[in-house]
Amino acid sequence: MTVTIRCADFNNDCPAEFTTPQEDELLQHVELHTKAVHQPMEWTPELAEVVKTHVKQA
Ligand SMILES: [Zn+2]
């Protein structure tokens, strides 16, 4: 089983999509991606919770 998330589910035209075996790992990818690509958006615990609601299991 894997979990997947698409950046386009949130805000923008961003084509990024992540798939990992574990949700924790997925969130780490999204965190790095957010900090690298979507400045000045800040990564917060609240944002992490929102991200979790968009995670899909595959
Ligand atoms: Zn993105």
Side-chain angles (χ1 to χ4, degrees):
M1 193 172 77
T2 58
V3 289
T4 184
I5 198 162
R6 296 187 320 149
C7 201
D9 287 343
F10 295 98
N11 32 27
N12 32 34
D13 265 347
C14 183
E17 185 172 347
F18 304 97
T19 302
T20 64
Q22 304 280 343
E23 188 180 75
D24 285 352
E25 196 178 341
L26 187 68
L27 287 172
Q28 287 180 1
H29 282 285
V30 175
E31 179 178 356
L32 287 173
H33 172 77
T34 300
K35 290 175 175 174
V37 180
H38 295 294
Q39 292 179 11
M41 193 186 294
E42 291 191 42
W43 185 257
T44 62
E46 289 76 18
L47 181 57
E49 290 302 314
V50 173
V51 168
K52 284 181 188 177
T53 68
H54 288 268
V55 173
K56 292 184 177 60
Q57 298 200 339

